[in-house]
């Protein structure tokens, strides 16, 4: 495969000139980990590729949700536990079908060889204010260009309002409480931004840091004595299920999720999305695709039609529960931990070279905590065909940086809303930069 380059245009301004003014009240984390996170440059996309990305991301969202329903209805508990690595105590909750899609971010590689989706962040996607707010502000204040994410803010408010209405109809209090760890600036301002979009819909909202929540088993989730009915949480379910009270060891996470299973708490994103968050979902989708002709024997119908099969072939990468298919054919692949986030637990394996050794490139940032790395590296893995990202060069405060561009596509309630373009290493990690996107026709 040939290496591709994408045009990055410098704004000719300092990071502080672009992000240090009014916008810093919405995204104060434009500097993180001791360096600039948001770059004073713009990544250029053509109208044609953005049109294809919008169509492809919506099509893949439909395929993901079709596969989700198949898993919920037809695959046994043992499959969800062993192949998707879902805790047995979560099964009643993730099998609960909710007709709303929520807020997701698909990660795409966009190069000369075409578009390939490599992940679907369906549980707690971040990078939302960057795409929905910063992109527009940067382009409007410093250029005459337009961006691809103009619809995202409106879609977020509509989807959150749809969840509020859905849970209210189920008998829950029609106000929404938003939670995350208050000490984590990036999570806090992602959460507050979403809360503001719902407030604009004239729906009652509250902010309640995770540190301040109280759980009364069998009764409800409370904040300062106020019972919470509908709960948006920027906190992964795989963390929540393991949470225990200090001292007593009380399983607060399981007690909270029991409330949701009993219909006493409505959760956004819906717990069913946790199935799609598992990297095992990618291998399951590919397995069902390869065995599509056998599905009538199993469930009485063919799961994917011809057009859906073509979409999977075009946009998905082969993914398996074993590395053997790639090792046998000497095909480069990526090994990914089931619950890996920000590239943690991922490594690229090129395959045996001439002297019989393997070239593995792990995702590791300088100074990363060894216990955190161990948490991800010890998880079960899936194995996905390697696909090269387009290479870019961008000016940073440390000088010219040569990296790779990963394009996140936000799909909200099944509709494409915009993109999050990040520049990092061959595995996109915490240290990746954000670079606003612009549309080529506007230049």
């Amino acid at each position: 495969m040939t290496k591709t380059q994408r045009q990055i245009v410098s704004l000719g301004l300092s990071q502080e000139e672009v992000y240090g003014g009014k916008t810093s009240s919405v995204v104060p984390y434009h500097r993180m980990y001791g360096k600039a996170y948001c770059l004073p440059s713009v990544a250029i996309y053509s109208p044609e590729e953005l049109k294809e990305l919008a169509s492809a991301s919506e099509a893949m969202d439909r395929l993901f949700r079709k596969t989700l329903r198949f898993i919920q209805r037809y695959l046994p508990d043992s499959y969800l536990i062993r192949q998707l690595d879902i805790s047995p105590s979560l099964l009643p909750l993730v099998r609960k079908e909710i007709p709303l899609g929520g807020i997701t971010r698909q990660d795409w590689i966009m190069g000369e060889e075409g578009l390939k989706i490599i992940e679907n962040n369906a549980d707690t996607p971040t990078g939302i204010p960057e795409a929905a707010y910063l992109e527009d502000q940067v382009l409007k204040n410093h250029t005459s260009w337009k961006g691809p994410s103009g619809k995202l803010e409106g879609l977020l408010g509509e989807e959150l309002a749809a969840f509020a209405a859905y849970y209210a109809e189920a008998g829950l209090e029609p106000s929404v409480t938003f939670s995350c760890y208050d000490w984590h600036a990036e999570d806090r301002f992602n959460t507050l931004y979403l809360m503001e979009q719902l407030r604009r819909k004239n729906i009652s909202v509250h902010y309640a840091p995770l540190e301040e929540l109280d759980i009364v088993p069998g009764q409800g989730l409370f904040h300062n004595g106020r019972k919470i009915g509908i709960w948006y949480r920027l906190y992964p379910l795989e963390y929540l299920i393991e949470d225990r009270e200090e001292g007593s060891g009380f399983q607060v996470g399981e007690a909270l999720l029991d409330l949701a299973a009993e219909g006493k708490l409505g959760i956004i994103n819906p717990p069913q999305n946790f199935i799609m968050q598992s990297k095992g979902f990618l291998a399951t989708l590919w397995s069902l695709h390869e065995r599509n002709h056998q599905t009538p024997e199993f469930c009485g119908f063919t799961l994917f039609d011809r057009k859906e099969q073509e979409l999977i072939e075009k946009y998905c990468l082969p993914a398996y529960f074993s590395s053997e298919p790639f090792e046998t054919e000497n095909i480069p692949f990526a090994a990914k931990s089931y619950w890996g986030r920000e590239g943690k637990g991922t490594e690229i394996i090129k395959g045996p070279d001439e002297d019989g050794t393997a070239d593995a490139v792990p995702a590791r940032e300088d100074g990363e905590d060894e216990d955190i790395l161990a948490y991800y590296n010890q998880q079960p893995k899936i194995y996905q065909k390697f696909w090269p990202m387009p290479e870019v060069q961008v000016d940073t405060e440390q000088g010219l940086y040569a990296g790779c561009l990963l394009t996140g596509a936000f799909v909200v309630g099944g509709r494409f809303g915009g993109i999050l373009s990040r520049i990092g290493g061959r595995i996109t990690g915490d240290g990746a930069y954000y670079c606003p996107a612009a549309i080529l026709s506007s230049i």
Side-chain angles (χ1 to χ4, degrees), residues 319-372:
Y320 301 98
F321 294 104
S322 165
S323 60
E324 184 177 357
F326 301 117
E327 292 174 335
T328 300
E329 299 296 326
N330 195 26
I331 297 173
F333 63 94
K336 297 184 172 184
S337 295
Y338 271 52
W339 308 108
R341 294 174 184 265
E342 299 293 344
K344 294 181 179 64
T346 295
E347 61 180 354
I348 297 169
I349 302 174
K350 290 183 179 179
D353 58 22
E354 293 180 357
D355 63 5
T357 60
D359 180 15
V361 182
R364 184 188 182 98
E365 305 287 345
D366 291 340
E368 280 194 302
D369 187 279
E370 291 293 337
D371 290 339
I372 293 176

Side-chain angles (χ1 to χ4, degrees), residues 61 65 100-104 122 159 163 268-270 273 411-414:
D61 184 78
R65 298 200 175 278
L100 297 170
I103 302 165
T104 68
E159 186 71 357
F163 270 101
I268 310 171
N269 270 329
N273 281 25
V411 181
V412 183

Side-chain angles (χ1 to χ4, degrees), residues 103 151-164 193-201 203 412 415:
I103 302 165
K151 295 181 180 179
L152 182 54
E153 188 170 88
L155 291 176
L156 294 168
E158 290 175 17
E159 186 71 357
L160 290 168
F163 270 101
Y193 180 81
L194 288 176
M195 189 173 76
E196 178 60 24
Q197 307 321 305
L198 190 55
R199 190 200 305 276
R200 293 178 182 177
K201 295 290 184 181
I203 294 174
V412 183
R415 294 173 288 178

Side-chain angles (χ1 to χ4, degrees), residues 233-361:
R233 42 88 212 175
L234 187 50
Y235 189 57
L237 281 189
E238 74 266 23
Y239 295 171
L240 184 60
I241 195 66
E242 299 294 336
D243 280 353
R244 286 167 172 74
E245 191 174 69
E246 288 188 24
S248 69
F250 171 61
Q251 295 177 312
V252 293
E254 288 200 10
L256 188 151
L257 294 171
D258 285 344
L259 294 171
E262 295 163 4
K264 297 175 181 177
L265 181 69
I267 298 180
I268 310 171
N269 270 329
Q272 66 181 10
N273 281 25
F274 193 57
I275 290 176
M276 297 187 293
Q277 182 71 33
S278 167
K279 299 295 194 301
F281 182 86
L282 300 171
T284 298
L285 173 67
W286 191 259
S287 176
L288 289 169
H289 162 63
E290 290 191 324
R291 295 165 176 79
N292 192 54
H293 63 286
Q294 297 175 340
T295 54
E297 302 172 18
F298 179 73
C299 59
F301 60 90
T302 301
L303 182 57
F304 301 123
D305 61 30
R306 180 179 297 177
K307 184 177 180 181
E308 290 170 332
Q309 291 250 276
E310 291 173 353
L311 285 168
I312 294 171
E313 286 282 353
K314 183 175 184 179
Y315 293 122
C316 293
L317 291 167
Y320 301 98
F321 294 104
S322 165
S323 60
E324 184 177 357
F326 301 117
E327 292 174 335
T328 300
E329 299 296 326
N330 195 26
I331 297 173
F333 63 94
K336 297 184 172 184
S337 295
Y338 271 52
W339 308 108
R341 294 174 184 265
E342 299 293 344
K344 294 181 179 64
T346 295
E347 61 180 354
I348 297 169
I349 302 174
K350 290 183 179 179
D353 58 22
E354 293 180 357
D355 63 5
T357 60
D359 180 15
V361 182

Side-chain angles (χ1 to χ4, degrees), residues 89-97 237 257 260-261 267 271-272:
S89 56
L90 271 174
L91 294 177
L93 196 54
V94 299
R95 285 196 184 275
K96 191 173 183 179
E97 297 182 17
L237 281 189
L257 294 171
I267 298 180
Q272 66 181 10

Side-chain angles (χ1 to χ4, degrees), residues 54-68 100-106 108 117 120 122 273 276 281 410-416:
S55 174
S57 60
E58 290 182 357
M60 289 310 305
D61 184 78
R62 290 190 294 270
L63 275 169
F64 286 155
R65 298 200 175 278
K66 184 174 190 177
T67 305
L68 167 66
L100 297 170
I103 302 165
T104 68
R105 192 194 74 233
Q106 304 168 0
W108 288 80
I117 185 170
N120 184 32
N273 281 25
M276 297 187 293
F281 182 86
F410 285 101
V411 181
V412 183
R415 294 173 288 178
F416 171 78

